[in-house]
Amino acid sequence: MAETKELIIAIIGYLLAIISPIIGIIAGIIIHFTQKENPFLNKHGKYIIIVAVAMWVITIILMFAGFIPAFF
């Protein structure tokens, strides 16, 4: 089982990926590449990147479909 600190880092990474995908991608990359010796954070770093990219794609699709307003 992961320590509390590791769980908090993973949760914050996922929240960043959902709220702001660009910052989530950056956070996931930082977690993934700086925590190579920690299998829990290394795995979740990859998953955070995947969630952030998925959120980014979903947002773009919803903008082009007209469900959410585009800001550009």
Side-chain angles (χ1 to χ4, degrees):
M1 187 69 184
E3 293 183 22
T4 305
K5 182 178 101 172
E6 294 170 341
L7 288 172
I8 291 172
I9 291 171
I11 291 170
I12 289 173
Y14 285 116
L15 288 174
L16 287 172
I18 292 170
I19 294 171
S20 177
I22 295 173
I23 296 173
I25 290 172
I26 294 169
I29 289 171
I30 290 171
I31 291 170
H32 176 66
F33 287 112
T34 61
Q35 299 296 321
K36 286 286 190 186
E37 69 281 350
N38 186 337
F40 178 81
L41 285 178
N42 188 18
K43 176 181 73 172
H44 283 285
K46 288 187 283 191
Y47 292 160
I48 290 167
I49 295 168
I50 292 169
V51 169
V53 170
M55 289 300 296
W56 201 358
V57 170
I58 291 169
T59 302
I60 290 171
I61 290 171
L62 290 176
M63 279 194 315
F64 283 116
F67 290 113
I68 58 175
F71 296 108
F72 45 81

